């Protein structure tokens, strides 16, 4: 089988990081995860990374938690194409300034799909270095659009996410100079 035919038959792998603190957010999307399985069957595979299988719907694919030392190797080995960050529109999620999941995925060239809210919409430019959706109710429609219209663009968004993390969110000389200038 040629490489191009193999790539066309491989499912899009969507990773969902499970850290024990985001179970309510994950459960908020239970119906959407069932719809993904029903609508996209062999074209999309969702993997819950670092999950306890007992807390997820039956039939869900998951990997158990790994040590910090193996976390990044684990993400890489799973060949995740897109990281989905399920968020409820809660005060905590809206006021959080933590976009670690974006930066962690971006270091591997993996774009994220996340609710269009702060802090993610501060670093993600939709369809350029990641994918923003408007609400849980529109998530499946926007995922369909992504799969139909932007599937070839996912790798480009991943590369752009890597560049965003490397040049905008890291402590390089230029960013340190901007920080010091802002303090004056």
């Amino acid at each position: 089988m040629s490489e191009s035919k193999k790539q066309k038959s491989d499912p899009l792998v969507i990773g969902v990081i499970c850290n024990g603190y985001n179970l309510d957010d994950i459960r908020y999307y239970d119906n959407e995860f069932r719809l993904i399985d029903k609508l996209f069957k062999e074209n999309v595979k969702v993997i819950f990374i670092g999950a306890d299988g007992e807390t997820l719907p039956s039939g869900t694919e998951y990997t158990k938690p790994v040590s910090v030392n193996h976390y990044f190797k684990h993400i890489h080995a799973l060949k995740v194409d897109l990281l989905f960050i399920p968020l409820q529109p809660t005060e905590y999620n809206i006021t959080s300034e933590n976009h670690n999941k974006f930066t962690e995925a971006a270091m591997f060239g993996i774009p994220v799909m996340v609710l269009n809210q702060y802090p993610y919409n501060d670093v993600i430019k939709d369809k350029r270095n990641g994918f923003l959706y408007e609400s849980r109710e529109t998530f499946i429609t926007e995922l369909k659009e992504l799969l139909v219209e932007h599937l070839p663009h996912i790798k480009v968004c991943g590369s752009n996410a890597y560049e965003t993390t490397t040049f905008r969110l890291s402590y390089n000389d230029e960013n340190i100079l901007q920080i010091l200038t802002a303090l004056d």
Side-chain angles (χ1 to χ4, degrees), residues 29-41 140 143:
Y29 287 85
D30 273 351
N31 289 332
E32 286 69 24
F33 290 127
R34 286 186 189 91
L35 276 171
I36 289 171
D37 187 48
K38 180 180 177 183
L39 294 173
F40 305 116
K41 302 215 184 266
I140 292 294
L143 180 61

Side-chain angles (χ1 to χ4, degrees), residues 18-164:
C18 303
N19 59 20
Y21 299 106
N22 64 343
L23 288 177
D24 287 340
D25 290 317
I26 291 169
R27 287 186 187 120
Y28 183 72
Y29 287 85
D30 273 351
N31 289 332
E32 286 69 24
F33 290 127
R34 286 186 189 91
L35 276 171
I36 289 171
D37 187 48
K38 180 180 177 183
L39 294 173
F40 305 116
K41 302 215 184 266
E42 67 277 345
N43 296 321
V44 175
K45 177 169 73 170
V46 177
I47 300 175
F48 293 88
I49 304 165
D52 170 1
E54 295 175 15
T55 61
L56 299 170
S58 63
T60 302
E61 188 167 340
Y62 67 95
T63 67
K64 294 188 181 249
V66 296
S67 69
V68 173
N69 293 341
H70 293 98
Y71 174 74
F72 292 104
K73 289 179 187 177
H74 186 61
I75 297 291
H76 182 69
L78 292 171
K79 298 182 180 177
V80 173
D81 297 302
L82 179 70
L83 182 71
F84 172 53
I85 303 172
L87 292 176
Q88 296 179 67
T90 64
E91 185 175 347
Y92 174 78
N93 286 338
I94 292 169
T95 59
S96 170
E97 292 194 17
N98 183 345
H99 41 65
N100 288 349
K101 290 178 186 169
F102 169 80
T103 56
E104 290 172 359
M107 293 311 295
F108 288 98
I110 302 169
V112 302
M113 186 169 191
V114 66
L115 188 62
N116 185 6
Q117 72 180 29
Y118 183 83
Y120 292 101
N121 63 5
D122 189 45
V123 294
I124 296 174
K125 303 304 174 217
D126 192 34
K127 297 175 186 70
R128 289 190 6 219
N129 65 348
F131 301 93
L132 300 169
Y133 63 93
E134 293 305 317
S135 68
R136 178 180 66 176
E137 293 73 26
T138 65
F139 169 70
I140 292 294
T141 302
E142 294 184 54
L143 180 61
K144 280 183 192 176
E145 178 188 316
L146 169 66
L147 294 173
V148 172
E149 296 178 24
H150 302 287
L151 188 60
H153 194 64
I154 287 176
K155 292 283 185 207
V156 173
C157 280
S159 295
N160 292 341
Y162 175 82
E163 300 241 343
T164 298

